[in-house]
């Protein structure tokens, strides 16, 4: 009984000859919460896919032992049989099916060969109660918020008698409250004997719940911590050097109004007559970084998308001015022509064509910028992409690699490069650093600041308060589709923002 729950030794994995893991060791004790951290592309997700049999034996080298027994998984089913369940970075539920159907997909409780719906319901209720999700098991999963879907995934894992739960950035797209609830659930499961491996770029939350930690850098384990050190020491191990001053020092001298919205109204695409954006007015000046704060569901993304080529809802009135002149933003190409760029929060859905090369993904929104006589000039496209690769420290094998093969954080950097290349006057950033490691975040902040210094206006949507306070000059607070407050960042705080939300008039 002395053997650890899990021991991975000397794990090496290559993709087309290029090493992603070079001899990684990982030990997880029974019932512990073990943090796995490292920069984007360090190999965290790959290591966990090896563990769970997504990359089966012998597509990797090294040894996996569970309670001392050597294991060679041929697929996910094998690792699940031993109680190892992974919840991937991108959730894997079927949105059109109900919670119950998702929970038992593939192994429905059956009696005499028929699916026993009564039993399935009862079990679904019991599992939902364990994860604290108060929802009808008949609800379609697509109607749940991300946080609730996450809980369904965990309930599903519990239904499989999980002993080791692997969570790959589970809180990346959750708001503060849902994140707290999820972390509390991990601690609760721990008291029931379930161990977890937690991958996260949010070092604060990692330090709150984990007992031990492994740090990966460039596909190798560079540090193991028996007790958790402070954030600076973790960052030092991840990046290989200390980081100072997370946010850039800026000389701010905002100029003329660059972008103005006046009484902007947008009807909900499905609910006729319901104004989802109500008389929103805001201004972004040249060289200014303006934040848009609010709780999840406040309408920030919807507002941004309705401005960017009316990509969301039906426009129902109001004016948009660029450089003091009414602007035609009625389609995405027109919005781009007017000098607006929008970096989406949902990189898989809207930002990238996963089969495209890194080079093409970079120039895609502005092909004219790399064209000669109507054709794409490939050396030019290459040079542009190479420049962004260097400036944003994008990690890829080469510029021909399909973006779908890059790590999550590096895909996000490519999305950013793509919109920067359009040379926007107004850059709308929607959760630009979600899933991005601390070092790369700092690079992105510096880049945003330098764009502003060159006269670009930036509208930043973020659920990370420190990010809004650290980067912006001014904040607008949104609630239920309306802008309810405006404040200089210097006077803003989490509390001030919440107060503005609570004090908002109800309709
Ligand atoms: N299917 C694939 N084909 C080719 N290369 C891949 C593939 N999957 C991952 N890689 C490469 O392996 C390396 C490790 O990627 P991985 O996704 O494990 O990183 P990560 O630590 O999870 O990063 P992030 O924090 O950004 O999620 C990266 O350089 C990535 O480009
Ligand atoms: Mg990953």
């Amino acid at each position: 009984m002395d053997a650890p729950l899990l021991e991975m030794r000397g794990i090496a994995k290559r993709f087309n000859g290029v090493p992603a893991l070079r001899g990684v060791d990982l030990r997880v004790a029974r019932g512990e919460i073990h943090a796995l951290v490292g920069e984007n592309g360090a190999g965290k997700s790959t290591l966990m896919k090896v563990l769970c049999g997504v990359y089966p034996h012998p597509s990797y080298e090294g040894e996996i032992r569970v309670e001392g027994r050597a294991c060679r998984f041929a697929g996910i089913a094998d690792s699940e049989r031993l109680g190892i369940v992974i919840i991937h970075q991108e959730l894997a539920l079927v949105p059109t099916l109900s919670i119950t159907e998702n929970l038992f997909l593939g192994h429905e409780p059956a009696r005499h060969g028929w699916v026993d719906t009564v039993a399935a319901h009862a079990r679904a209720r019991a599992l939902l109660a364990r994860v604290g999700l108060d929802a009808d098991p008949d609800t379609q999963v697509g109607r749940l918020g991300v946080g609730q879907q996450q809980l369904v995934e965990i309930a599903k894992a519990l239904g499989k008698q999980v002993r080791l739960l692997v969570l790959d950035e589970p809180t990346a797209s959750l708001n503060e409250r849902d994140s707290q609830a999820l972390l509390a659930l991990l601690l609760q499961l721990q008291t029931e004997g379930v161990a977890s491996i937690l991958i996260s770029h949010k070092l604060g939350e990692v330090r709150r719940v984990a007992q031990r930690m492994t740090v990966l850098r460039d596909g190798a384990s560079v540090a193991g911590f028996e007790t958790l050190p402070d954030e600076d020491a973790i960052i030092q191990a991840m990046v290989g050097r200390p980081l100072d001053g997370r946010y850039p020092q800026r000389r701010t001298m905002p100029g003329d109004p660059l972008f103005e919205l006046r009484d902007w109204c947008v009807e909900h695409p499905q609910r006729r007559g319901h104004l989802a954006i109500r008389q929103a007015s805001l201004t972004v000046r040249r060289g200014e970084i303006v934040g848009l704060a609010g709780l999840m569901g406040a309408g920030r993304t919807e507002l941004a998308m309705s401005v960017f080529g009316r990509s969301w809802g039906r426009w129902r009135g109001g004016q948009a001015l660029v450089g003091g002149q009414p602007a035609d933003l009625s389609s995405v190409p027109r919005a781009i022509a007017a000098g607006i760029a929008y970096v989406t929060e949902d990189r898989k859905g809207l930002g990238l064509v996963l089969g495209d090369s890194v080079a093409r993904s970079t120039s895609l929104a502005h092909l004219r910028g790399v064209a000669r006589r109507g054709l794409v000039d490939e050396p030019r496209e290459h040079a542009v992409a190479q420049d962004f690769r260097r400036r944003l420290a994008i990690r890829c094998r080469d510029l021909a690699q399909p973006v779908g093969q890059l790590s999550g954080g590096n895909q996000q950097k490519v999305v950013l490069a793509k919109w920067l290349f359009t040379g926007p006057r107004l850059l709308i950033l929607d959760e630009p650093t979600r899933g991005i490691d601390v070092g790369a975040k700092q690079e992105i902040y510096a880049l945003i600041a330098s764009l502003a210094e060159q006269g670009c206006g930036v509208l930043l949507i973020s659920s990370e308060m420190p990010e809004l306070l650290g980067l912006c000059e001014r904040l607008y607070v949104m609630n239920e589709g309306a802008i309810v407050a405006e404040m200089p960042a210097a006077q803003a705080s989490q509390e001030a923002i919440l107060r503005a939300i609570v004090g908002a008039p109800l309709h």
Side-chain angles (χ1 to χ4, degrees):
M1 282 302 279
D2 287 326
L5 173 62
L6 169 71
E7 190 164 20
M8 299 179 84
R9 239 187 271 160
I11 304 292
K13 166 86 188 155
R14 293 163 177 274
F15 292 106
N16 306 314
V18 182
L21 298 173
R22 339 160 177 250
V24 174
D25 298 327
L26 175 71
R27 281 167 68 104
V28 180
R30 285 187 184 75
E32 80 168 328
I33 299 180
H34 193 101
L36 184 60
V37 302
E39 292 181 283
N40 297 129
K44 304 176 297 292
S45 297
T46 305
L47 183 67
M48 292 301 101
K49 287 178 186 168
V50 166
L51 168 61
C52 298
V54 174
Y55 299 136
H57 184 83
S59 69
Y60 62 90
E61 289 158 42
E63 203 178 46
I64 303 176
R65 286 178 178 271
V66 176
E67 292 182 326
R69 272 198 10 237
C71 299
R72 295 177 161 187
F73 302 132
I76 289 203
D78 284 355
S79 63
E80 285 189 347
R81 215 167 290 131
L82 292 187
I84 301 173
V85 180
I86 185 166
I87 296 178
H88 287 286
Q89 212 161 349
E90 274 79 30
L91 294 180
L93 299 170
V94 184
T96 51
L97 295 183
S98 73
I99 294 179
T100 309
E101 287 165 324
N102 267 286
L103 285 177
F104 303 118
L105 205 63
H107 47 101
E108 291 87 355
R111 206 167 46 186
H112 313 306
W114 294 93
V115 174
D116 185 342
T117 43
V118 179
H121 256 88
R123 277 197 62 196
R125 281 223 174 74
L127 289 173
L128 293 183
R130 267 184 85 186
V131 298
L133 177 58
D134 182 20
D136 181 345
D138 286 330
T139 315
Q140 253 193 23
V141 159
R143 304 180 78 94
L144 301 174
V146 200
Q148 295 177 320
Q149 292 195 25
Q150 201 83 254
L151 294 178
V152 174
E153 288 259 24
I154 294 178
K156 190 170 173 177
L158 294 176
K160 294 171 186 163
Q161 307 294 326
V162 63
R163 284 195 300 162
L164 175 60
L165 190 60
V166 178
L167 298 131
D168 197 347
E169 292 190 42
T171 62
S173 35
L174 297 189
N175 61 27
E176 191 58 29
R177 206 189 50 210
D178 288 351
S179 298
Q180 296 300 344
L182 185 98
L183 298 174
L185 176 60
L186 285 193
L187 290 169
Q188 166 63 29
L189 292 175
Q190 184 179 27
T191 66
E192 298 168 21
V194 179
S196 321
I197 297 176
L198 174 64
I199 298 179
S200 176
H201 290 293
K202 298 182 182 170
L203 301 181
E205 71 179 32
V206 158
R207 290 188 67 248
R208 273 208 304 285
V209 298
Q211 289 84 53
R212 294 197 307 137
M213 166 180 283
T214 298
V215 181
L216 294 188
R217 192 191 325 149
D218 279 335
S221 26
V222 291
F225 293 107
E226 292 297 319
T227 52
L228 292 197
D230 63 20
E231 272 192 41
D232 286 343
I234 300 173
I235 292 170
Q236 162 97 37
M238 281 172 61
V239 187
R241 60 184 162 83
L243 286 185
D244 41 35
R246 298 257 176 104
Y247 298 98
Q249 294 289 332
R250 299 201 310 122
R251 278 177 299 118
T252 57
M253 30 184 173
D256 311 329
L258 171 74
F259 177 75
E260 290 160 87
L261 275 187
R262 292 192 189 147
D263 297 324
W264 193 252
C265 293
V266 182
E267 188 184 74
H268 193 282
Q270 274 97 43
R271 294 161 61 192
R272 279 219 165 267
H274 174 77
L275 279 189
I277 305 294
R278 293 175 292 131
Q279 298 192 304
S281 298
L282 59 79
T283 304
V284 181
R285 297 187 178 80
R286 250 178 261 283
E288 192 181 31
I289 305 178
V290 175
L292 205 47
L295 302 176
M296 198 98 111
R300 295 171 299 166
T301 294
E302 290 77 5
L303 174 63
M305 289 179 69
S306 72
V307 165
F308 188 63
R310 299 200 189 150
S311 323
W312 190 88
R314 289 183 211 93
W315 176 77
R316 283 290 179 257
Q319 254 196 329
L321 308 179
V322 177
Q325 301 298 319
D328 179 4
L329 308 178
S330 59
S331 71
V332 169
R334 285 183 191 141
I336 294 174
I340 298 181
Y342 172 58
V343 177
T344 157
E345 62 172 339
D346 173 12
R347 60 179 171 252
K348 276 263 153 71
L350 301 162
L352 291 171
V353 181
L354 296 182
D356 274 354
S357 68
V358 172
R360 177 52 48 88
S361 307
T362 304
S363 55
L364 192 65
H366 185 48
L367 283 172
R368 262 185 307 129
V370 292
R372 199 158 36 187
R373 291 191 214 101
L375 290 176
V376 171
D377 177 354
E378 287 192 2
R380 198 137 129 201
E381 181 172 66
H382 195 91
V384 166
Q386 185 59 34
D387 183 43
F388 279 108
R389 179 189 185 182
R390 190 183 48 75
R391 280 164 58 195
L392 299 184
I394 297 170
R395 285 210 214 173
C396 50
R397 188 179 63 228
D398 53 44
L399 295 171
Q401 188 172 14
V403 277
Q405 289 181 3
L406 302 195
S407 79
N410 283 292
Q411 289 185 15
Q412 180 71 3
K413 293 191 210 171
V414 175
V415 176
L416 208 54
K418 162 173 137 174
W419 291 108
L420 291 181
F421 183 51
T422 64
R425 299 165 78 188
L426 174 74
L427 179 63
I428 307 177
L429 298 167
D430 198 345
E431 304 286 358
T433 61
R434 174 177 291 175
I436 298 236
D437 71 58
V438 281
K441 262 186 189 164
Q442 209 182 27
E443 290 162 23
I444 288 175
Y445 296 150
L447 196 85
I448 295 172
S450 86
L451 283 168
E453 252 154 48
Q454 292 159 37
C456 185
V458 179
L459 185 62
L460 175 67
I461 300 174
S462 173
S463 44
E464 287 190 39
M465 270 313 282
E467 189 166 285
L468 287 175
L469 298 178
L471 274 177
C472 301
E473 273 103 60
R474 252 179 339 117
L475 297 180
Y476 289 101
V477 182
M478 241 184 126
N479 187 40
E480 298 189 355
I483 290 178
V484 294
E486 179 194 347
M487 53 186 90
Q491 288 167 23
S493 62
Q494 182 108 26
E495 203 199 331
I497 288 172
L498 284 175
R499 215 176 311 119
I501 291 171
V502 174
L506 292 173
H507 57 108

